[in-house]
Protein backbone atom coordinates (compact mmCIF):
# COMPACT_ATOMS: atom_id res chain seq x y z
CA UNK A 1 0.00 0.00 0.00
CA UNK A 2 3.00 2.28 0.33
CA UNK A 3 2.93 5.20 -2.07
CA UNK A 4 -0.78 4.85 -2.82
CA UNK A 5 -3.38 6.75 -0.84
CA UNK A 6 -7.01 5.68 -1.03
CA UNK A 7 -7.94 8.81 0.91
CA UNK A 8 -6.24 11.05 -1.64
CA UNK A 9 -8.46 9.70 -4.42
CA UNK A 10 -11.55 10.22 -2.25
CA UNK A 11 -10.51 13.71 -1.18
CA UNK A 12 -10.19 14.92 -4.76
CA UNK A 13 -13.91 14.40 -5.24
CA UNK A 14 -15.01 15.51 -1.78
CA UNK A 15 -16.31 18.93 -2.82
CA UNK A 16 -18.51 17.41 -5.51
CA UNK A 17 -19.86 14.85 -3.05
CA UNK A 18 -20.63 17.53 -0.46
CA UNK A 19 -23.15 18.95 -2.92
CA UNK A 20 -25.01 15.63 -2.67
CA UNK A 21 -25.30 15.72 1.12
CA UNK A 22 -29.03 14.99 1.12
CA UNK A 23 -28.49 11.89 -1.00
CA UNK A 24 -25.60 10.81 1.23
CA UNK A 25 -27.80 11.13 4.33
CA UNK A 26 -30.45 8.98 2.67
CA UNK A 27 -27.89 6.23 1.96
CA UNK A 28 -26.53 6.41 5.51
CA UNK A 29 -30.05 6.19 6.94
CA UNK A 30 -30.67 3.08 4.83
CA UNK A 31 -27.47 1.50 6.16
CA UNK A 32 -28.45 2.30 9.76
CA UNK A 33 -31.96 0.94 9.13
CA UNK A 34 -30.64 -2.40 7.84
CA UNK A 35 -28.09 -2.76 10.65
CA UNK A 36 -30.73 -2.08 13.32
CA UNK A 37 -33.26 -4.34 11.60
CA UNK A 38 -30.81 -7.26 11.53
CA UNK A 39 -29.07 -6.87 14.87
CA UNK A 40 -31.25 -4.69 17.09
CA UNK A 41 -31.33 -1.00 17.92
CA UNK A 42 -28.66 -0.94 20.65
CA UNK A 43 -25.24 0.06 19.23
CA UNK A 44 -23.53 -1.31 22.34
CA UNK A 45 -24.57 -4.85 21.41
CA UNK A 46 -24.75 -4.39 17.62
CA UNK A 47 -21.29 -3.67 16.13
CA UNK A 48 -22.71 -3.18 12.63
CA UNK A 49 -25.09 -0.51 13.90
CA UNK A 50 -22.32 1.17 15.89
CA UNK A 51 -20.15 1.32 12.78
CA UNK A 52 -23.02 2.72 10.68
CA UNK A 53 -23.73 5.40 13.30
CA UNK A 54 -20.05 6.39 13.50
CA UNK A 55 -19.97 6.66 9.72
CA UNK A 56 -23.09 8.83 9.73
CA UNK A 57 -21.71 11.12 12.42
CA UNK A 58 -18.43 11.54 10.54
CA UNK A 59 -20.54 12.83 7.64
CA UNK A 60 -22.28 15.29 10.02
CA UNK A 61 -25.63 13.53 9.76
CA UNK A 62 -28.02 15.01 12.35
CA UNK A 63 -28.79 12.86 15.39
CA UNK A 64 -32.51 13.16 14.68
CA UNK A 65 -32.00 11.45 11.33
CA UNK A 66 -30.00 8.66 12.98
CA UNK A 67 -32.60 8.13 15.71
CA UNK A 68 -35.43 8.14 13.17
CA UNK A 69 -33.77 5.39 11.11
CA UNK A 70 -33.22 3.22 14.20
CA UNK A 71 -36.78 3.70 15.47
CA UNK A 72 -38.20 2.89 12.06
CA UNK A 73 -36.18 -0.34 11.93
CA UNK A 74 -37.09 -1.50 15.43
CA UNK A 75 -40.73 -0.42 15.43
CA UNK A 76 -43.83 -2.29 14.37
CA UNK A 77 -44.19 -0.50 11.04
CA UNK A 78 -43.99 -2.63 7.93
CA UNK A 79 -41.00 -1.40 6.02
CA UNK A 80 -39.16 -2.11 2.82
CA UNK A 81 -36.96 -5.22 2.78
CA UNK A 82 -33.45 -4.40 1.60
CA UNK A 83 -30.86 -6.85 0.27
CA UNK A 84 -27.09 -6.47 0.16
CA UNK A 85 -25.86 -6.97 -3.40
CA UNK A 86 -22.36 -6.62 -4.87
CA UNK A 87 -21.55 -6.22 -8.57
CA UNK A 88 -18.08 -6.32 -10.08
CA UNK A 89 -16.54 -5.23 -13.34
CA UNK A 90 -13.93 -3.22 -15.20
CA UNK A 91 -13.89 0.46 -16.00
CA UNK A 92 -12.07 2.34 -18.76
CA UNK A 93 -8.42 1.33 -19.00
CA UNK A 94 -9.11 -1.97 -17.23
CA UNK A 95 -9.46 -0.56 -13.70
CA UNK A 96 -11.24 -2.93 -11.29
CA UNK A 97 -14.53 -1.83 -9.70
CA UNK A 98 -16.70 -3.28 -6.94
CA UNK A 99 -20.15 -1.78 -6.33
CA UNK A 100 -22.00 -2.49 -3.07
CA UNK A 101 -25.74 -1.81 -2.93
CA UNK A 102 -28.68 -1.98 -0.55
CA UNK A 103 -31.72 -2.45 -2.72
CA UNK A 104 -35.36 -3.51 -2.55
CA UNK A 105 -35.30 -4.50 -6.24
CA UNK A 106 -32.35 -6.56 -7.47
CA UNK A 107 -33.51 -6.53 -11.11
CA UNK A 108 -33.66 -2.74 -11.18
CA UNK A 109 -30.31 -2.47 -9.40
CA UNK A 110 -28.58 -4.83 -11.83
CA UNK A 111 -30.00 -2.98 -14.83
CA UNK A 112 -28.92 0.42 -13.47
CA UNK A 113 -25.37 -0.73 -12.70
CA UNK A 114 -25.03 -2.47 -16.08
CA UNK A 115 -26.21 0.72 -17.82
CA UNK A 116 -23.64 2.83 -15.95
CA UNK A 117 -20.82 0.49 -16.97
CA UNK A 118 -21.83 0.33 -20.64
CA UNK A 119 -22.43 4.08 -20.93
CA UNK A 120 -18.92 4.86 -19.64
CA UNK A 121 -16.88 2.29 -21.60
CA UNK A 122 -16.82 -0.26 -18.80
CA UNK A 123 -17.81 -3.90 -18.59
CA UNK A 124 -19.83 -5.54 -15.83
CA UNK A 125 -18.38 -8.95 -14.99
CA UNK A 126 -19.19 -12.09 -13.05
CA UNK A 127 -19.09 -12.25 -9.25
CA UNK A 128 -15.49 -12.78 -8.17
CA UNK A 129 -13.91 -11.33 -11.31
CA UNK A 130 -12.16 -8.51 -9.39
CA UNK A 131 -12.88 -9.07 -5.68
CA UNK A 132 -9.62 -11.04 -5.31
CA UNK A 133 -7.78 -7.79 -6.09
CA UNK A 134 -9.07 -6.15 -2.87
CA UNK A 135 -8.53 -6.74 0.84
CA UNK A 136 -11.13 -5.85 3.47
CA UNK A 137 -9.53 -3.53 6.02
CA UNK A 138 -10.40 -1.06 8.71
CA UNK A 139 -9.17 2.42 7.78
CA UNK A 140 -8.78 5.39 10.14
CA UNK A 141 -7.79 8.75 8.65
CA UNK A 142 -6.21 11.58 10.65
CA UNK A 143 -6.03 14.96 8.92
CA UNK A 144 -2.55 16.35 9.61
CA UNK A 145 -3.68 19.96 9.06
CA UNK A 146 -6.15 19.63 11.94
CA UNK A 147 -3.91 17.66 14.32
CA UNK A 148 -0.42 18.57 15.49
CA UNK A 149 1.02 15.12 16.08
CA UNK A 150 4.48 13.66 16.26
CA UNK A 151 4.63 10.85 13.70
CA UNK A 152 6.86 8.61 15.81
CA UNK A 153 4.70 9.01 18.92
CA UNK A 154 1.60 8.29 16.86
CA UNK A 155 3.21 5.16 15.42
CA UNK A 156 3.84 3.86 18.95
CA UNK A 157 0.19 4.51 19.85
CA UNK A 158 -0.94 2.73 16.69
CA UNK A 159 1.20 -0.31 17.48
CA UNK A 160 -0.04 -0.38 21.08
CA UNK A 161 -3.65 -0.16 19.86
CA UNK A 162 -3.19 -3.27 17.73
CA UNK A 163 -3.34 -1.77 14.22
CA UNK A 164 -1.61 -3.50 11.31
CA UNK A 165 0.22 -0.53 9.82
CA UNK A 166 0.28 3.23 9.38
CA UNK A 167 0.99 5.14 6.17
CA UNK A 168 2.04 8.80 6.25
CA UNK A 169 1.28 11.22 3.42
CA UNK A 170 1.63 15.00 3.20
CA UNK A 171 -2.03 15.44 4.16
CA UNK A 172 -2.88 12.46 6.36
CA UNK A 173 -1.96 9.62 8.65
CA UNK A 174 -3.72 6.48 7.38
CA UNK A 175 -4.09 3.67 9.91
CA UNK A 176 -5.02 0.17 8.69
CA UNK A 177 -6.52 -2.55 10.88
CA UNK A 178 -7.90 -6.04 10.67
CA UNK A 179 -11.69 -5.59 10.30
CA UNK A 180 -12.32 -7.55 13.51
CA UNK A 181 -9.98 -5.22 15.43
CA UNK A 182 -11.34 -1.98 13.95
CA UNK A 183 -13.59 -0.90 16.83
CA UNK A 184 -11.02 -1.79 19.51
CA UNK A 185 -8.26 0.14 17.72
CA UNK A 186 -10.55 3.11 17.11
CA UNK A 187 -11.71 3.26 20.73
CA UNK A 188 -8.14 2.89 22.04
CA UNK A 189 -6.89 5.80 19.93
CA UNK A 190 -9.94 7.95 20.73
CA UNK A 191 -9.25 7.37 24.43
CA UNK A 192 -5.82 8.91 23.78
CA UNK A 193 -7.47 12.04 22.39
CA UNK A 194 -7.21 11.31 18.67
CA UNK A 195 -9.98 12.31 16.24
CA UNK A 196 -10.56 11.00 12.72
CA UNK A 197 -11.71 12.69 9.54
CA UNK A 198 -12.84 9.26 8.33
CA UNK A 199 -13.29 5.88 10.04
CA UNK A 200 -14.63 2.92 8.08
CA UNK A 201 -14.24 -0.69 7.10
CA UNK A 202 -13.45 -0.63 3.40
CA UNK A 203 -11.87 -2.51 0.51
CA UNK A 204 -8.23 -1.69 -0.21
CA UNK A 205 -6.74 -2.60 -3.61
CA UNK A 206 -3.64 -4.79 -3.70
CA UNK A 207 -2.43 -3.05 -6.87
CA UNK A 208 -3.41 0.14 -8.70
CA UNK A 209 -4.13 0.93 -12.35
CA UNK A 210 -2.86 4.37 -13.43
CA UNK A 211 -5.35 6.21 -15.66
CA UNK A 212 -4.82 9.35 -17.68
CA UNK A 213 -6.72 11.49 -20.19
CA UNK A 214 -9.74 9.76 -21.78
CA UNK A 215 -9.62 6.68 -19.54
CA UNK A 216 -9.30 8.78 -16.39
CA UNK A 217 -12.20 11.04 -17.36
CA UNK A 218 -14.36 8.04 -18.23
CA UNK A 219 -13.57 6.40 -14.91
CA UNK A 220 -14.50 9.49 -12.90
CA UNK A 221 -17.78 9.78 -14.79
CA UNK A 222 -18.53 6.09 -14.24
CA UNK A 223 -17.90 6.40 -10.49
CA UNK A 224 -20.04 9.55 -10.29
CA UNK A 225 -22.94 7.88 -12.10
CA UNK A 226 -22.76 4.84 -9.84
CA UNK A 227 -22.59 6.95 -6.68
CA UNK A 228 -25.57 8.99 -7.86
CA UNK A 229 -27.70 5.82 -7.75
CA UNK A 230 -29.86 5.74 -4.61
CA UNK A 231 -29.23 1.99 -4.14
CA UNK A 232 -25.43 2.24 -4.30
CA UNK A 233 -23.77 2.42 -0.88
CA UNK A 234 -20.08 2.12 -1.82
CA UNK A 235 -17.94 2.11 -4.96
CA UNK A 236 -14.47 0.59 -4.58
CA UNK A 237 -11.89 0.75 -7.36
CA UNK A 238 -8.16 0.46 -7.99
CA UNK A 239 -7.84 3.39 -10.39
CA UNK A 240 -5.04 5.86 -9.75
CA UNK A 241 -6.22 9.09 -11.37
CA UNK A 242 -3.82 11.99 -11.72
CA UNK A 243 -4.65 15.63 -10.98
CA UNK A 244 -4.66 16.63 -14.65
CA UNK A 245 -7.71 14.44 -15.24
CA UNK A 246 -9.75 16.30 -12.63
CA UNK A 247 -8.67 19.63 -14.13
CA UNK A 248 -10.18 18.55 -17.47
CA UNK A 249 -13.61 17.78 -16.00
Amino acid sequence: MAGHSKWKNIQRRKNAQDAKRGKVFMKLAKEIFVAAKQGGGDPETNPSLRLAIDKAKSSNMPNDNIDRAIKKATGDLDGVQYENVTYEGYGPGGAAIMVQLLTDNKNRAAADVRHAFSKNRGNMGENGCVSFLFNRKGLLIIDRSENELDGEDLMLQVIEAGAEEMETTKETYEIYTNPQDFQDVKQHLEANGLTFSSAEITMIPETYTPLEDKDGIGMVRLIDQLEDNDDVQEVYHNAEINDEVYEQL
Side-chain angles (χ1 to χ4, degrees):
M1 285 179 282
H4 296 283
S5 170
K6 171 188 179 289
W7 182 244
K8 189 174 183 181
N9 278 338
I10 293 173
Q11 206 170 36
R12 284 168 175 161
R13 301 201 324 278
K14 186 176 184 300
N15 291 338
Q17 290 179 340
D18 282 346
K20 304 176 183 177
R21 188 169 297 275
K23 186 177 289 289
V24 169
F25 285 172
M26 181 178 66
K27 294 184 178 187
L28 291 168
K30 188 189 293 185
E31 190 171 340
I32 291 168
F33 176 91
V34 171
K37 193 80 172 175
Q38 294 177 344
D42 184 357
E44 294 300 319
T45 58
N46 184 346
S48 296
L49 178 59
R50 184 165 65 246
L51 182 60
I53 291 173
D54 288 346
K55 185 176 177 181
K57 288 183 175 180
S58 71
S59 296
N60 298 315
M61 185 174 177
N63 287 332
D64 286 348
N65 296 40
I66 296 172
D67 292 339
R68 193 179 306 119
I70 294 173
K71 288 176 180 177
K72 184 177 180 181
T74 56
D76 296 327
L77 296 175
D78 290 332
V80 180
Q81 297 299 313
Y82 293 108
E83 290 185 79
N84 286 293
V85 186
T86 300
Y87 297 112
E88 303 177 31
Y90 297 91
I97 305 176
M98 292 181 64
V99 188
Q100 291 187 347
L101 304 90
L102 276 174
T103 182
D104 60 344
N105 188 324
K106 289 176 66 175
N107 292 333
R108 181 194 66 219
D112 288 347
V113 171
R114 186 174 291 107
H115 174 70
F117 272 94
S118 62
K119 182 179 178 181
N120 296 282
R121 299 189 300 113
N123 293 288
M124 194 165 151
E126 300 293 330
N127 286 344
C129 68
V130 301
S131 58
F132 68 94
L133 297 172
F134 296 82
N135 293 311
R136 191 166 181 263
K137 296 286 184 182
L139 176 59
L140 300 161
I141 304 292
I142 297 175
D143 189 331
R144 296 184 66 178
S145 66
E146 297 179 2
N147 297 270
E148 293 185 7
L149 298 170
D150 180 274
E152 292 186 4
D153 288 343
L154 178 59
M155 176 63 80
L156 292 176
Q157 292 185 54
V158 167
I159 293 171
E160 182 182 356
E164 291 185 341
E165 69 172 294
M166 184 179 83
E167 181 179 332
T168 302
T169 73
K170 290 182 179 180
E171 299 89 6
T172 62
Y173 294 110
E174 302 178 7
I175 301 163
Y176 297 89
T177 79
N178 184 296
Q180 287 74 25
D181 299 332
F182 175 78
Q183 284 293 343
D184 289 341
V185 173
K186 180 174 179 288
Q187 290 173 4
H188 182 103
L189 295 176
E190 285 176 336
N192 288 345
L194 297 176
T195 58
F196 308 104
S197 55
S198 176
E200 61 180 337
I201 293 177
T202 187
M203 302 297 288
I204 303 294
E206 290 187 351
T207 59
Y208 289 78
T209 301
L211 299 180
E212 299 180 0
D213 303 324
K214 185 178 179 181
D215 286 340
I217 291 172
M219 186 66 177
V220 172
R221 289 175 176 165
L222 171 54
I223 294 168
D224 285 345
Q225 184 171 342
L226 289 168
E227 289 181 340
D228 201 43
N229 186 312
D230 291 344
D231 288 338
V232 172
Q233 295 296 110
E234 299 288 350
V235 178
Y236 304 114
H237 64 87
N238 72 343
E240 190 173 56
I241 303 169
N242 61 37
D243 293 328
E244 288 75 15
V245 168
Y246 289 94
E247 292 171 0
Q248 295 177 56
L249 293 170

